[in-house]
């Protein structure tokens, strides 16, 4: 079964510290993976997708097929990074987005 | 990008009643999606609504419980029928394709 797991419900760091939000997936084929973010009082929006191999707001995510992971990283967290982050998988069999339960990132000054 | 509005933003309803949620987009779109986010849970796709055809429902969701209309390329409604407390959730409308979706602000529904 296709599944996305985000093991941490809450991640708290201080400003300037490195951040890694974990995402593991279960899918037998070649997945397409995404990170969506929801800032306070804003709607859910796409942060980045692995096929673009992009860095958005200093965040990067590398697909590791051996570990079936797609962790989101940022070397120096900023207070404005505080938000809810969702990892999502686009599985070829069902052709729909499957979301993880989300991780709340809190960045303290 | 697309700007999406939803009505109502929140509601408190009694069990056994029905609520219709509206989703309006500022541009014509082919695919519209309805999601549910139960407390502490991830987003779960309810159905995909394409204009001119019946909505496609995901496993565990049925048309009698969640009827959907899609009268044109900018508008859709989702009705939550015969509500029970288990239907208390945030309901989200989104548009786009599977590679990028734009989400509405959500409708927070509480069933008492």
């Amino acid at each position: 079964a296709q599944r996305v797991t985000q093991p941490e419900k809450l991640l708290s760091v201080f400003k300037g510290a490195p951040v890694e939000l974990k995402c593991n997936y279960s899918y037998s084929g070649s997945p397409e993976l995404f990170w969506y973010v929801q800032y306070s009082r804003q709607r859910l929006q796409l942060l980045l997708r692995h096929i673009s191999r992009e860095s958005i707001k200093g965040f990067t995510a590398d697909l590791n097929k051996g570990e079936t992971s797609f962790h989101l990283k940022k070397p120096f967290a900023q207070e404005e990074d505080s938000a809810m982050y969702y990892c999502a998988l686009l599985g070829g069999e069902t052709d729909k987005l499957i979301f993880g339960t989300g991780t709340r990132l809190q960045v303290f000054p | 990008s697309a700007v999406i509005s939803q009505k109502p933003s929140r509601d408190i309803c009694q069990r056994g009643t029905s609520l219709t949620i509206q989703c309006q987009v500022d541009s014509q779109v082919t695919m519209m999606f309805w999601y549910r986010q139960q407390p502490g849970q991830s987003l779960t796709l309810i159905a995909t609504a394409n204009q001119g055809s019946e909505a496609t429902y995901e496993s565990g969701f049925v048309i009698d419980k969640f009827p959907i209309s899609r009268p044109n390329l900018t508008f859709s409604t989702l009705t939550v029928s015969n509500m029970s407390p288990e239907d208390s959730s945030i309901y989200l409308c989104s548009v786009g394709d599977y590679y990028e979706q734009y989400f509405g602000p959500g409708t927070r529904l509480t069933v008492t």
Side-chain angles (χ1 to χ4, degrees):
Chain A
Q2 298 166 80
R3 187 167 54 245
V4 177
T5 303
Q6 294 181 251
E8 303 143 328
K9 285 193 173 183
L10 174 65
L11 182 63
S12 299
V13 300
F14 286 100
K15 175 182 173 182
V19 169
E20 182 177 70
L21 288 85
K22 291 183 167 49
C23 172
N24 289 91
Y25 66 90
S26 173
Y27 178 58
S28 57
S30 292
E32 300 291 346
L33 286 148
F34 308 82
W35 278 98
Y36 278 80
V37 61
Q38 187 168 25
Y39 301 101
S40 178
R41 297 189 182 86
Q42 294 187 29
R43 57 195 67 190
L44 192 62
Q45 59 186 284
L46 178 67
L47 178 62
L48 59 79
R49 69 199 97 181
H50 103 269
I51 57 173
S52 301
R53 298 187 177 278
E54 56 203 345
S55 173
I56 303 293
K57 299 184 178 182
F59 284 98
T60 59
D62 292 319
L63 177 60
N64 185 322
K65 291 186 178 180
E67 296 183 357
T68 59
S69 68
F70 188 58
H71 302 328
L72 184 68
K73 300 177 184 178
K74 185 169 183 177
F76 307 104
Q78 303 298 315
E79 290 178 68
E80 55 266 31
D81 296 328
S82 296
M84 194 74 179
Y85 291 81
Y86 294 92
C87 183
L89 162 72
L90 178 62
E93 296 170 10
T94 57
D95 203 23
K96 67 177 182 180
L97 276 180
I98 299 168
F99 285 86
T101 51
T103 298
R104 181 169 298 282
L105 174 64
Q106 288 182 332
V107 182
F108 295 110
Chain B
S1 64
V3 177
I4 304 166
S5 59
Q6 283 184 236
K7 289 182 181 178
S9 58
R10 59 178 61 222
D11 207 341
I12 300 173
C13 301
Q14 291 191 340
R15 69 172 67 207
T17 63
S18 299
L19 176 72
T20 295
I21 302 168
Q22 299 179 6
C23 177
Q24 179 75 53
V25 189
D26 69 341
S27 58
Q28 294 184 338
V29 294
T30 302
M31 301 177 79
M32 296 181 78
F33 306 91
W34 286 99
Y35 288 86
R36 180 176 74 181
Q37 186 174 26
Q38 294 177 304
Q41 306 294 318
S42 64
L43 282 77
T44 302
L45 182 64
I46 297 172
T48 302
N50 294 324
Q51 196 267 337
S53 61
E54 294 270 333
T56 303
Y57 288 83
E58 298 299 315
S59 175
F61 298 96
V62 295
I63 188 171
D64 289 346
K65 175 67 175 177
F66 298 100
I68 288 171
S69 77
R70 182 78 199 273
N72 57 53
L73 291 173
T74 64
F75 187 78
S76 177
T77 66
L78 169 76
T79 299
V80 186
S81 304
N82 188 23
M83 288 184 284
S84 66
E86 292 71 35
D87 294 320
S88 297
S89 294
I90 297 174
Y91 291 85
L92 292 151
C93 167
S94 76
V95 303
D97 57 34
Y98 292 110
Y99 290 94
E100 182 161 8
Q101 291 187 24
Y102 302 94
F103 286 84
T107 296
R108 184 179 293 274
L109 171 61
T110 302
V111 183
T112 61

